[in-house]
């Protein structure tokens, strides 16, 4: 009945506000036999929403690859948020979220649409629909639901559920965050 531990992993990110409406971000993810480096930025305006771009490269013993991302989000009626993300991932790319997958199998395009509504003191409720097209013609479609809120002055709570429409697989999760000051 003891715990079994996998290899140690790290995920470090930073964000820097260059000026009003413009920020740059970087990310490093790694574990034994994996290193993924990413760089991106976001430009936002009050009236037209925010546009985000990102690029990432990863290296593993089995190969290396690139990932490109483009995203847009906008506030509608001051409280309803709409978003779209397009991701193109080349064969050989892997990061911590896709480490168990065959990195050479995914030469794919992913589109995700999101809707988020406020729930007052209970934070925000978000829904997503995602479609991933693989180069070999395989299609994956998933839906997700998440709620994030503050519980007290320091604790952030997030509950998540997602399901694959094609296979019927699903996942549930909870995240608790405490700031370190």
């Amino acid at each position: 009945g003891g715990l079994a531990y996998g290899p140690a992993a790290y995920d470090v990110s930073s964000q820097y506000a260059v000026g009003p409406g413009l920020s740059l971000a970087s990310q490093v993810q790694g574990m034994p036999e994996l290193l993924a480096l990413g760089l991106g930025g976001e430009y936002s305006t009050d009236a037209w929403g925010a546009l985000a771009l990102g690029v990432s490269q990863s290296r593993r013993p089995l190969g290396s690859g690139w990932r490109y991302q483009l995203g847009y989000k906008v506030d509608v009626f001051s409280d309803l948020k709409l978003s779209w993300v397009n991701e193109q991932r080349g064969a050989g790319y892997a990061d911590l979220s896709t480490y168990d997958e065959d990195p050479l199998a995914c030469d794919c395009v992913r589109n995700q649409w999101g809707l988020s509504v406020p729930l007052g003191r209970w934070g925000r409720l978000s829904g997503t629909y995602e479609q991933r097209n693989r180069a070999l013609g395989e299609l994956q479609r998933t839906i997700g639901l998440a709620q994030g809120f503050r519980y007290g002055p320091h604790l952030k709570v997030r509950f998540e559920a997602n399901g694959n429409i094609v296979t019927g697989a699903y996942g549930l999760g909870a995240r608790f965050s405490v700031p370190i000051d």
Side-chain angles (χ1 to χ4, degrees), residues 133-150:
N133 299 319
R134 294 184 182 261
L136 300 175
E138 180 185 339
L139 177 67
Q140 291 182 345
R141 294 180 297 170
T142 59
I143 56 172
L145 192 61
Q147 180 183 4
F149 59 92
R150 285 191 171 277

Side-chain angles (χ1 to χ4, degrees), residues 29-143:
Q29 291 184 346
M31 61 185 305
E33 301 183 358
L34 170 69
L35 178 64
L37 303 169
L39 188 63
E42 182 176 294
Y43 180 72
S44 62
T45 65
D46 290 333
W48 298 100
L51 180 67
L53 299 167
V55 62
S56 180
Q57 194 223 6
S58 73
R59 291 191 179 138
R60 294 177 68 170
L62 299 175
S64 63
W66 291 85
R67 177 184 70 188
Y68 306 95
Q69 291 179 311
L70 171 66
Y72 179 72
K73 61 184 174 183
V74 65
D75 292 345
V76 181
F77 307 122
S78 300
D79 53 2
L80 182 71
K81 297 180 186 283
L82 299 172
S83 65
W84 165 75
V85 174
N86 173 272
E87 175 183 273
Q88 297 184 17
R89 192 168 68 178
Y93 181 83
D95 58 16
L96 292 178
S97 67
T98 60
Y99 183 75
D100 287 341
E101 296 177 12
D102 180 3
L104 301 175
C106 185
D107 187 7
C108 54
V109 175
R110 177 180 72 93
N111 283 289
Q112 183 185 68
W113 295 269
L115 173 67
S116 175
V117 295
L119 295 177
R121 70 181 285 265
W122 292 105
R124 295 192 77 80
L125 181 65
S126 304
T128 58
Y129 171 77
E130 181 176 306
Q131 181 172 310
R132 182 182 296 182
N133 299 319
R134 294 184 182 261
L136 300 175
E138 180 185 339
L139 177 67
Q140 291 182 345
R141 294 180 297 170
T142 59
I143 56 172

